[in-house]
Amino acid sequence: AQTVTQSQPEMSVQEAETVTLSCTYDTSESDYYLFWYKQPPSRQMILVIRQEAYKQQNATENRFSVNFQKAAKSFSLKISDSQLGDAAMYFCAYRNDYKLSFGAGTTVTVRA
Amino acid sequence: GAGVSQSPSNKVTEKGKDVELRCDPISGHTALYWYRQSLGQGLEFLIYFQGNSAPDKSGLPSDRFSAERTGGSVSTLTIQRTQQEDSAVYLCASSLGYGPLPTDTQYFGPGTRLTVL
């Protein structure tokens, strides 16, 4: 079974600053997908960014980027120029077939 | 276009009653998934549909839980004889396909918060 670990229960960032969320995972597979999802208080899980394991280039979506280290099984999310709307719980997730395995989540607070 | 929708948004029930939770996937999505989000267990996979069939029911916590999908579209998750430990947010997701392609990314609905008194 795959396990996903998010070691930071909470992170706080000043508006316009940068915050990095950590995620590690355990797998014996070589081909898989990694995701970061955002869950605001509305409960809607929103896809932030996706990374294919076979791609060496780190994925980027506007202010969101990842640092994917396959050998270390590490997949961190960097939020640049943080905005008040970024406040939410962020989940790291792993998928190699159809099932998503999630980490415990990191709550991000943005200070004005 | 319209996203995944779920109803009801919130459901309060008494212990021992049956409940039905509904999910309407994105139009054209062939795969549908149910997850449960609870304080103690985090996000757990429950069941997955390819079309109307469920190849993987491994996440259903007990035989009180069942799910069906009709017409390759709407799905219903039924919990019989609800218990207090069933209290959680039940999330539904859908994807275009059910393989490892980027187009198979799962998109989630807003969830149903179930409270069992």
Side-chain angles (χ1 to χ4, degrees), chain B residues 11-113:
Chain B
K11 177 71 177 179
V12 180
T13 191
E14 293 180 349
K15 178 181 173 181
K17 295 287 181 72
D18 297 352
V19 295
E20 286 189 352
L21 311 180
R22 177 187 168 106
C23 173
D24 280 275
I26 294 172
S27 178
H29 279 196
T30 59
L32 186 146
Y33 316 79
W34 284 97
Y35 294 85
R36 180 169 73 172
Q37 184 175 24
S38 58
L39 283 176
Q41 302 298 322
L43 273 154
E44 309 169 274
F45 167 82
L46 297 179
I47 189 170
Y48 148 66
F49 287 91
Q50 289 180 12
N52 292 334
S53 61
D56 188 350
K57 305 179 184 179
S58 63
L60 294 178
S62 75
D63 58 9
R64 295 186 296 103
F65 287 71
S66 63
E68 65 174 11
R69 189 179 184 195
T70 55
S73 181
V74 173
S75 176
T76 302
L77 177 68
T78 300
I79 309 173
Q80 295 179 310
R81 305 181 302 282
T82 52
Q83 304 294 312
Q84 288 182 332
E85 61 262 29
D86 299 335
S87 295
V89 174
Y90 290 82
L91 293 166
C92 175
S94 70
S95 64
L96 190 61
Y98 39 81
L101 300 176
T103 50
D104 303 324
T105 295
Q106 296 179 24
Y107 296 93
F108 285 79
T112 293
R113 180 179 297 281

Side-chain angles (χ1 to χ4, degrees), chain A residues 31-33 35 37 39 41-47 49-50 52 54-55 89 91-105, chain B residues 4 8-10 33 35 37 42-45 48 50 55-56 58 89 91 98-113:
Chain A
D31 196 16
Y32 48 87
Y33 286 80
F35 303 84
Y37 281 91
Q39 187 179 42
S42 66
R43 293 198 311 249
Q44 182 90 46
M45 293 278 277
I46 301 164
L47 177 67
I49 201 164
R50 171 183 55 226
E52 293 89 344
Y54 62 85
K55 288 187 177 180
M89 179 164 264
F91 291 94
C92 178
Y94 166 101
R95 191 194 85 201
N96 76 315
D97 190 356
Y98 53 83
K99 183 189 307 184
L100 284 171
S101 298
F102 290 90
Chain B
V4 178
S9 179
N10 292 281
Y33 316 79
Y35 294 85
Q37 184 175 24
L43 273 154
E44 309 169 274
F45 167 82
Y48 148 66
Q50 289 180 12
D56 188 350
S58 63
V89 174
L91 293 166
Y98 39 81
L101 300 176
T103 50
D104 303 324
T105 295
Q106 296 179 24
Y107 296 93
F108 285 79
T112 293
R113 180 179 297 281

Side-chain angles (χ1 to χ4, degrees), chain A residues 7 47 51 60 71 79 89 95 105-106 109:
Chain A
S7 58
L47 177 67
Q51 175 78 45
T60 300
I79 308 173
M89 179 164 264
R95 191 194 85 201
T106 298
T109 303

Side-chain angles (χ1 to χ4, degrees), chain A residues 5-8 20-24 36 74-77 92 106:
Chain A
T5 302
Q6 293 179 250
S7 58
Q8 306 153 315
T20 300
L21 311 184
S22 301
C23 173
T24 59
W36 280 98
S74 170
F75 182 61
S76 62
L77 175 70
C92 178
T106 298

